[in-house]
Amino acid sequence: MKRLSNIKHLNNLLKTKQISCTELTKRYLTEIEKENKTLNAYVRITQDAALLAAKRVDEKIAKGEELMPLEGIPMTLKDNISTKNIETTCCSKMLEEYIPVYDATVWEILQNQNAVLLGKTNMDEFAMGSTNETSIFGGALNPHDTTRVAGGSSGGVASAVAGNIAVYGLGSDTGGSIRQPASFCGLVGLKPTYGAVSRYGLIACASSFDQIGPITSSVEDAAIVYDAISLYDKKDATSCGKRCNAQSTLENSIKGMKVGILNEYFEGVSDDVKEAVDKALNAFEKLGVQIVKINIPEMEYTLPVYYILACAEISSNMGRYDGICYGYTTPKYNDTTDMIFKTRSEGFGREVKRRILFGTYVLSAERYDSYYKKAWKLRGSIIKSFKAAFADCDVILAPTVPDTAYETNFTLSDLADNYLSNICTALANLTGLPAVSMPCGFDQKGLPIGIQIIGDKFEDAKILNAAYQYEKLTHDTIYKSKEIGVML
Amino acid sequence: MVKRDDVLKIAKLAMLYIEEEEIESWIFDMNKLIGFADTIKSVEDDELEDFDDISNIVNAFHEDEVVKSLDRELVLKSRDGGEDGYFIIKRERNNRGYL
Amino acid sequence: MSWELVAGFETHIELSTKTKIFCQCSTEFGAEPNTLCCPVCLGLPGTLPKLNRNVVYYAIKAGLATNCHIRNITKMDRKNYVYPDLPKAYQISQHDKPLCERGHIILSSGKKINIGRIHIEEDAGKLVHQRGDTYIDNNRGGVPLIEIVSEPDIRSADEAVEYLEQLRLIMKYIGVSDVKMQEGSLRNDVNVSVRKTGEDKFGTRVEIKNMNSMNFIAKAMEYEFSRQVDILKSGGTIEQETRRYNSDLNITESMRDKEDAEDYRYFRDPDLVTISTTHEEIEELKNELPELPQKKLNRFTGEYGLPSADAELLVKYKKISEYFEKACYESKSYKTTANYILGSIFRRLSTDADKEDANISISPEYLSELVVLTEAKKINSNIARNTLEKMLDTGKPASELLSKEDMEGIDESTLRDICEKAVKNNQRAVESYLEGKEKALGAVIGYIMKETRGKADAELAGKIVKELLNN
């Protein structure tokens, strides 16, 4: 059974009154109660808000009013997206019980469409990590194999969508945090062009890298959500206001499209992943694309540059957590300085501290020039090189992650290895380019493998177009729906 | 590479306490990351051009028109209403003296 | 062996834009604590700053008015440090590409005080310490500031005060700030060092904070100068540090340890974008500037021939200077008009604020009319002054308050006759005068004034009488 859009399917069910929104929402809430115990995808369930929105939708349907594309669709938000009056913790002790007094812009947009928020989902603490295990609520598990992680840092969203206890979710991506969990869980994860989606209300990780994006069970759903949330926001100075209509070009043929391959991307990937990506390349060739080899001279510097700059921004963004105006405060202290030191030392986990310390180091007076300043300039070079590469190709193809989902409590032995797993994804954040991950097969253990399509700036519609055409061709071989949650 | 004093100095800047028993592991972690970052040392400075920012947006301004501020109740909500309308840090001893 | 004081200033001026620098909260002064805050200026997680257009324009104007070069392309940087009045643990400021650079102010002595840079940044909140607790009010957090940094060109407390007063007046004139030290919209920190007169090398400099008036600034500089000289004379060295001025004891006290040299880890703020101003836009802003105080002062003393003390007083209050010029337009009687304003009118504008507002009950045209009458000798100075007081009381013009008769002056030949009569009828007084008692003339003049019902010009009468008696 090939269904390319759960959102459209549900929209139709609601429109034709085959199910009421309230009924639909209740079904999801029931399944969440059942499945979340295992998956630990949700850290907070917002039953009242969900049912209230559902009621509004049902009233609209009763009046015969037309439904907007995302109206009444049960969904989730990663717990670093500010929701007014609803706890937003970034899964950190530092923001335990923190309740925002304002809404993130993306959430405002979705509320205007009466999106049904089922709850807030699990993540690595402050979005720093690739397994969701740095969360104070424990890790989110992979519905394909619950002895394995859902990925990070948007692990909760991916787990919920793959477990059929949310139709779609919004995650955030700083170095791969949407795409990697999507890849691990056999889903579609889109990181839009930097600036396409407002960051206002996204609790910052690394400001010039962060983007909010959808995790969905199909490319069309990703396009529908992207079209809805990629609006100009005057509250965000880095908001571009490029509103492209991704849905309208999905059906375009990609015959003649030039697909670039970076050799370096295939270093360090597992055999299974390499095989699956090769197969995907064959499929693309069947669709009439032309494979071209492209070269980025600064490829070996991309990850170090990413970590230097991202950690620098992180160290600055994390400075505000001092226990004074909101969030956790240490219970015992001698004076203000002691209070701030203790609050931060107790409130932050190890990974967060690690990045803060490293970021502070690269910005410190004696090292600024040789680390931050140099890395910043290198970033410019890398961006230029990619711009040049896109003169020779339309999109770039690459694996999303060198491997498939790790086992829980799997400690990547080498710290550097941990960070190296971002090698395929961090590039898009470094350059601000749009990138979508989608499934392309399974490994020998039956775990999903992800392939990434990267586009030039503002070519979000183009990469979704390519992804959609690939999905249409290979749908039954790349998706495996888990028989849990709400069966649509 | 960093030694004990460097790590303590960085931690102080970052307003983080490091327990004695943790210091070794932090030195290890930092040096691992620094080693990783040092890859860029092989790039010559004069090969690199200036780079402004990733947005390529210029002059994003807000107009100088007043918008109603947040109700004080909401401002102080996370701190149970504060005290007399202020945020309060109890028993602060500060040898900067002024302000 | 004499010693030389070397000083430079870091001046922070709150811009009088309606809204804060990165959000649209009001910047009004004196509101209840934490009532002018929003998620952005509170630095709540997830919020983003956006630059106030007028802050850039006001800052450029400040730069143009102080002869600075304006940077066409610039950016905002983060200055990272932790303090309870700084919600984000960084201040958004400008580090290596300030908006304005290389300006100057010229003192009355002709000496140039160079301005190194002017940049824009956000203000921090206010802390109140009480009973060991710290209270935080974030109303001021996010209020736009310009920081003006001078070169160490100042050599005396007098030069310092003149520099700061000029700066203050310029900012008032161009309308970018109300520069009230008592409200905190003008704050000054001074860097003081000393060296032997004639030496090229600069001594170690000490920063002094917490001087809330021009008077305190002068006192603090003088104290610090002596303190440093004493140390050096006895063979010691000056420690580079920050000191605060204690106005009760009139001393400077050490504030921070040397240890606390901050590493601000400046880097470009990734949430804000490039600020680009074209040459045309800068020219436009230049054309919007009013005549600056120095130029006006030169015109008043030069073209109008006013004594500098008078001119300075008139120029000090922009609206007064404008009133003055309007009042002189017809009469061209600058000195008389100035006298009336600085005398009777100023008496009614008792505070500085009153003079700034210049709510004078009569229009400049009415004042002009009075001056014309005086200059034409239609009324004498006594009558004129009385009339002016009546005008200020009632708001009515002289033509309404003076009768036709009052305005008929006394011509000289009539006056002569009356003077002769006075001399004849006041022989005793005349004799006293001729014996050497100058004051006795007063009785004669008094007689003349009575005869003319006060209309005679006393000065002229006195002249005529003396003439008559000398014959």
Side-chain angles (χ1 to χ4, degrees):
Chain A
M1 185 191 53
K2 203 192 272 191
R3 184 193 306 127
L4 290 179
S5 168
N6 281 338
I7 292 176
K8 272 183 153 165
H9 174 67
L10 282 174
N11 181 275
N12 189 51
L13 290 181
L14 291 170
K15 235 171 28 190
T16 56
K17 302 194 181 153
Q18 289 178 59
I19 186 172
S20 78
C21 192
T22 307
E23 236 181 279
L24 179 67
T25 304
K26 282 192 176 149
R27 271 227 267 175
Y28 271 93
L29 289 169
T30 309
E31 291 304 317
I32 289 172
E33 252 218 74
K34 251 177 46 201
E35 302 299 336
N36 200 50
K37 289 200 228 340
T38 320
L39 295 177
N40 201 22
Y42 284 89
V43 296
R44 199 162 312 111
I45 298 170
T46 53
Q47 182 161 294
D48 294 338
L51 290 170
L52 194 62
K55 187 159 164 255
R56 271 201 291 271
V57 175
D58 283 333
E59 282 165 8
K60 267 184 98 168
I61 298 171
K63 286 197 215 144
E65 284 172 38
E66 197 167 315
L67 290 181
M68 291 177 274
L70 293 173
E71 196 140 19
I73 308 295
M75 44 76 73
T76 179
L77 294 171
K78 185 175 179 181
D79 205 25
N80 59 357
I81 295 176
S82 299
T83 44
K84 189 168 167 188
N85 299 329
I86 298 171
E87 230 172 80
T88 302
T89 66
C90 296
C91 295
S92 173
K93 184 173 180 171
M94 192 61 92
L95 287 181
E96 244 182 347
E97 296 170 7
Y98 166 68
I99 299 179
V101 294
Y102 75 98
D103 280 323
T105 299
V106 291
W107 177 225
E108 255 179 33
I109 292 170
L110 291 177
Q111 281 179 93
N112 288 339
Q113 289 207 29
N114 289 314
V116 173
L117 179 68
L118 296 165
K120 306 294 286 294
T121 33
N122 209 344
M123 54 184 281
D124 278 299
E125 185 185 3
F126 279 110
M128 300 181 210
S130 346
T131 59
N132 207 135
E133 291 185 308
T134 62
S135 163
I136 52 165
F137 300 110
L141 299 181
N142 194 323
H144 289 269
D145 177 348
T146 54
T147 66
R148 294 178 181 269
V149 300
S153 57
S154 312
V157 177
S159 176
V161 177
N164 300 313
I165 47 176
V167 178
Y168 71 92
L170 291 187
S172 72
D173 193 310
T174 306
S177 295
I178 284 174
R179 292 161 287 153
Q180 188 250 45
S183 175
F184 279 5
C185 295
L187 299 168
V188 175
L190 169 69
K191 183 205 84 70
T193 301
Y194 183 81
V197 177
S198 168
R199 285 184 301 118
Y200 189 84
L202 171 67
I203 297 178
C205 179
S207 315
S208 71
F209 297 85
D210 294 342
Q211 268 294 277
I212 293 176
I215 296 181
T216 60
S217 53
S218 72
V219 176
E220 186 167 10
D221 282 356
I224 295 171
V225 178
Y226 172 80
D227 283 342
I229 63 175
S230 57
L231 301 175
Y232 169 70
D233 182 13
K234 67 178 187 190
K235 296 202 279 288
D236 177 354
T238 60
S239 172
C240 306
K242 284 285 196 298
R243 177 107 160 80
C244 49
N245 197 325
Q247 267 187 281
S248 62
T249 49
L250 289 177
E251 294 286 358
N252 290 357
S253 158
I254 59 171
K255 188 160 176 213
M257 197 183 253
K258 294 209 193 96
V259 173
I261 305 287
L262 274 167
N263 272 332
E264 293 93 339
Y265 260 150
F266 295 92
E267 284 169 26
V269 305
S270 74
D271 294 329
D272 282 349
V273 170
K274 180 139 203 325
E275 203 186 305
V277 175
D278 281 339
K279 233 162 120 186
L281 280 170
N282 289 336
F284 270 100
E285 281 177 306
K286 280 212 200 88
L287 290 164
V289 310
Q290 190 194 338
I291 309 282
V292 278
K293 288 234 161 78
I294 57 167
N295 179 50
I296 304 288
E298 300 92 352
M299 207 47 204
E300 67 179 291
Y301 303 120
T302 53
L303 261 189
V305 167
Y306 165 74
Y307 273 106
I308 291 169
L309 299 177
C311 288
E313 292 181 5
I314 285 168
S315 72
S316 178
N317 286 330
M318 292 294 122
R320 70 190 67 199
Y321 300 105
D322 53 17
I324 298 177
C325 296
Y326 50 82
Y328 171 75
T329 314
T330 186
K332 261 170 56 186
Y333 56 85
N334 300 321
D335 55 40
T336 304
T337 308
D338 189 41
M339 181 200 85
I340 295 173
F341 271 80
K342 281 211 178 98
T343 297
R344 292 165 65 77
S345 307
E346 291 160 17
F348 288 139
R350 175 103 187 177
E351 185 59 41
V352 171
K353 284 185 193 167
R354 185 180 290 129
R355 296 191 195 201
I356 291 174
L357 287 173
F358 183 62
T360 307
Y361 176 81
V362 301
L363 282 175
S364 63
E366 310 90 326
R367 291 129 203 155
Y368 175 84
D369 282 343
S370 50
Y371 288 101
Y372 184 85
K373 192 168 173 191
K374 191 176 245 185
W376 185 254
K377 287 188 180 174
L378 257 170
R379 187 180 193 181
S381 303
I382 294 168
I383 289 174
K384 270 213 195 97
S385 295
F386 267 88
K387 190 90 203 152
F390 278 111
D392 297 328
C393 67
D394 296 298
V395 298
I396 294 173
L397 216 71
T400 306
V401 199
D403 218 325
T404 53
Y406 316 122
E407 287 170 349
T408 57
N409 301 317
F410 170 89
T411 325
L412 284 165
S413 53
D414 200 319
L415 185 60
D417 280 345
N418 190 347
Y419 289 1
L420 276 170
S421 65
N422 280 332
I423 187 149
C424 303
T425 46
L427 249 165
N429 308 81
L430 191 61
T431 53
L433 300 174
V436 63
S437 172
M438 62 179 300
C440 65
F442 302 87
D443 73 357
Q444 292 182 8
K445 301 188 276 293
L447 298 168
I449 296 170
I451 191 171
Q452 220 187 158
I453 305 171
I454 305 165
D456 201 0
K457 235 175 170 197
F458 303 124
E459 306 259 81
D460 308 52
K462 189 181 272 188
I463 57 172
L464 287 169
N465 173 209
Y468 183 77
Q469 293 303 317
Y470 169 76
E471 183 192 55
K472 257 179 38 180
L473 183 67
T474 59
H475 188 276
D476 292 338
T477 60
I478 60 172
Y479 286 117
K480 184 167 56 181
S481 178
K482 300 313 295 172
E483 304 288 304
I484 56 172
V486 178
M487 299 297 152
L488 294 172
Chain B
M1 292 301 152
V2 289
K3 295 205 189 55
R4 185 199 158 88
D5 278 345
D6 303 306
V7 172
L8 290 174
K9 225 170 120 190
I10 298 289
K12 190 167 179 215
L13 264 181
M15 307 289 275
L16 291 170
Y17 280 142
I18 294 190
E19 301 301 325
E20 189 58 48
E21 59 266 20
E22 296 181 315
I23 293 185
E24 279 311 313
S25 72
W26 279 116
I27 296 174
F28 180 80
D29 275 4
M30 283 298 108
N31 283 327
K32 232 0 216 259
L33 283 169
I34 292 165
F36 184 45
D38 278 344
T39 319
I40 69 169
K41 283 215 161 120
S42 54
V43 181
E44 286 302 323
D45 271 325
D46 48 14
E47 287 172 25
L48 295 170
E49 280 173 27
D50 267 336
F51 169 56
D52 282 337
D53 77 336
I54 192 162
S55 300
N56 297 326
I57 295 174
V58 167
N59 291 343
F61 294 132
H62 80 248
E63 297 309 314
D64 195 21
E65 295 301 329
V66 174
V67 168
K68 187 165 178 289
S69 293
L70 209 56
D71 272 339
R72 183 156 74 185
E73 200 192 310
L74 291 176
V75 172
L76 297 166
K77 195 153 175 234
S78 290
R79 284 293 172 258
D80 294 325
E83 211 174 287
D84 299 327
Y86 290 90
F87 288 100
I88 173 169
I89 307 175
K90 286 285 186 186
R91 287 189 302 111
E92 187 249 15
R93 272 184 283 116
N94 178 352
N95 53 17
R96 285 183 195 223
Y98 82 126
L99 284 181
Chain C
M1 179 192 352
S2 66
W3 297 86
E4 181 178 61
L5 167 79
V6 173
F9 276 87
E10 267 168 39
T11 303
H12 285 92
I13 291 177
E14 276 182 16
L15 297 178
S16 54
T17 53
K18 288 192 240 167
T19 59
K20 294 186 178 182
I21 186 172
F22 296 118
C23 68
Q24 290 177 256
C25 288
S26 162
T27 51
E28 68 178 77
F29 179 79
E32 284 294 304
N34 291 307
T35 53
L36 298 177
C37 306
C38 73
V40 175
C41 56
L42 286 169
L44 295 186
T47 54
L48 297 170
K50 200 155 183 215
L51 186 54
N52 180 339
R53 181 189 295 278
N54 272 353
V55 168
V56 180
Y57 291 162
Y58 280 30
I60 290 176
K61 279 187 171 172
L64 290 169
T66 51
N67 306 292
C68 291
H69 164 258
I70 310 296
R71 212 180 257 276
N72 296 96
I73 309 275
T74 182
K75 60 179 170 84
M76 303 303 300
D77 300 303
R78 290 192 187 177
K79 180 179 181 181
N80 297 280
Y81 66 96
V82 177
Y83 203 62
D85 62 3
L86 200 62
K88 300 188 295 296
Y90 58 84
Q91 177 195 33
I92 303 179
S93 174
Q94 292 190 293
H95 180 49
D96 55 319
K97 294 202 175 139
L99 187 56
C100 319
E101 288 174 306
R102 307 190 303 273
H104 63 264
I105 282 189
I106 301 182
L107 302 180
S108 57
S109 62
K111 178 171 172 186
K112 212 190 235 190
I113 306 293
N114 290 296
I115 289 173
R117 54 183 281 156
I118 302 181
H119 71 253
I120 56 180
E121 60 184 24
E122 55 177 346
D123 207 347
K126 265 214 195 102
L127 297 183
V128 180
H129 301 283
Q130 227 176 68
R131 299 178 298 257
D133 300 333
T134 301
Y135 293 79
I136 306 173
D137 169 16
N138 201 53
N139 281 354
R140 201 184 65 180
V143 166
L145 298 174
I146 46 173
E147 180 176 327
I148 304 178
V149 182
S150 83
E151 299 294 351
D153 294 337
I154 289 167
R155 296 287 172 271
S156 71
D158 284 343
E159 278 186 2
V161 173
E162 196 191 331
Y163 164 74
L164 294 174
E165 288 285 8
Q166 269 211 45
L167 210 57
R168 220 191 121 260
L169 195 60
I170 289 172
M171 296 306 148
K172 266 228 81 114
Y173 258 63
I174 65 178
V176 302
S177 172
D178 54 23
V179 269
K180 292 184 180 157
M181 275 181 94
Q182 68 276 25
E183 278 181 15
S185 50
L186 170 66
R187 295 168 232 159
N188 294 294
D189 298 330
V190 64
N191 285 305
V192 176
S193 67
V194 307
R195 64 184 177 191
K196 295 209 190 89
T197 312
E199 253 227 45
D200 264 336
K201 238 180 81 167
F202 286 118
T204 307
R205 64 174 196 205
V206 170
E207 188 188 16
I208 306 175
K209 296 172 106 71
N210 196 46
M211 302 159 296
N212 307 332
S213 72
M214 296 296 180
N215 187 25
F216 287 165
I217 290 172
K219 286 210 172 100
M221 286 175 71
E222 278 154 7
Y223 174 83
E224 184 60 20
F225 176 71
S226 315
R227 186 189 79 88
Q228 289 194 22
V229 168
D230 284 344
I231 291 177
L232 291 175
K233 267 194 185 149
S234 60
T237 51
I238 306 294
E239 215 179 283
Q240 178 167 9
E241 57 168 343
T242 303
R243 298 173 73 83
R244 69 181 288 274
Y245 176 67
N246 182 327
S247 52
D248 296 325
L249 304 173
N250 191 26
I251 61 168
T252 62
E253 309 170 309
S254 191
M255 253 179 76
R256 286 200 260 254
D257 300 318
K258 245 193 318 180
E259 233 75 73
D260 286 40
E262 291 267 18
D263 180 356
Y264 295 117
R265 289 153 282 144
Y266 288 101
F267 70 103
R268 183 188 172 131
D269 193 323
D271 292 328
L272 293 163
V273 298
T274 300
I275 303 161
S276 166
T277 322
T278 61
H279 282 296
E280 290 76 32
E281 284 172 306
I282 294 172
E283 274 309 301
E284 226 181 283
L285 288 167
K286 204 172 189 178
N287 294 335
E288 279 176 30
L289 292 179
E291 182 184 33
L292 294 178
Q294 197 56 47
K295 191 145 172 258
K296 192 171 277 197
L297 192 66
N298 292 341
R299 266 197 318 111
F300 282 18
T301 53
E303 229 181 284
Y304 298 168
L306 289 178
S308 23
D310 288 359
E312 268 166 34
L313 263 176
L314 290 171
V315 168
K316 187 172 177 189
Y317 309 100
K318 182 153 167 267
K319 287 194 181 150
I320 298 282
S321 68
E322 286 161 0
Y323 182 95
F324 165 74
E325 290 210 88
K326 281 209 193 101
C328 291
Y329 187 69
E330 287 291 339
S331 71
K332 307 270 186 273
S333 305
Y334 305 113
K335 188 78 179 81
T336 312
T337 312
N339 285 346
Y340 283 152
I341 293 175
L342 296 174
S344 304
I345 292 181
F346 262 28
R347 266 196 293 279
R348 303 211 176 206
L349 304 170
S350 35
T351 66
D352 255 2
D354 291 333
K355 296 186 181 81
E356 296 284 5
D357 291 336
N359 274 328
I360 305 169
S361 48
I362 55 170
S363 70
E365 290 77 23
Y366 285 4
L367 181 61
S368 181
E369 188 192 42
L370 182 71
V371 169
V372 167
L373 285 171
T374 313
E375 290 296 308
K377 304 264 188 253
K378 292 259 172 100
I379 53 174
N380 70 19
S381 39
N382 259 353
I383 294 187
R385 220 165 284 127
N386 288 340
T387 311
L388 179 56
E389 294 297 330
K390 277 199 220 131
M391 285 164 70
L392 291 170
D393 286 334
T394 63
K396 292 202 173 120
S399 42
E400 262 184 61
L401 294 168
L402 291 168
S403 69
K404 197 159 171 278
E405 208 196 280
D406 290 325
M407 284 197 281
E408 268 171 25
I410 304 201
D411 62 85
E412 205 170 314
S413 65
T414 318
L415 186 59
R416 233 165 230 286
D417 291 341
I418 297 176
C419 285
E420 280 170 15
K421 190 171 162 198
V423 164
K424 231 189 276 178
N425 292 349
N426 288 277
Q427 280 303 312
R428 211 159 343 138
V430 170
E431 272 164 32
S432 284
Y433 173 73
L434 290 171
E435 272 166 26
K437 293 207 181 91
E438 290 273 343
K439 283 203 186 140
L441 205 60
V444 183
I445 307 296
Y447 180 90
I448 297 168
M449 297 308 286
K450 232 173 105 194
E451 281 289 306
T452 61
R453 278 194 306 281
K455 281 164 59 177
D457 185 330
E459 214 181 300
L460 184 56
K463 222 173 97 200
I464 297 173
V465 167
K466 279 191 193 157
E467 244 181 69
L468 292 171
L469 295 179
N470 284 340
N471 294 342

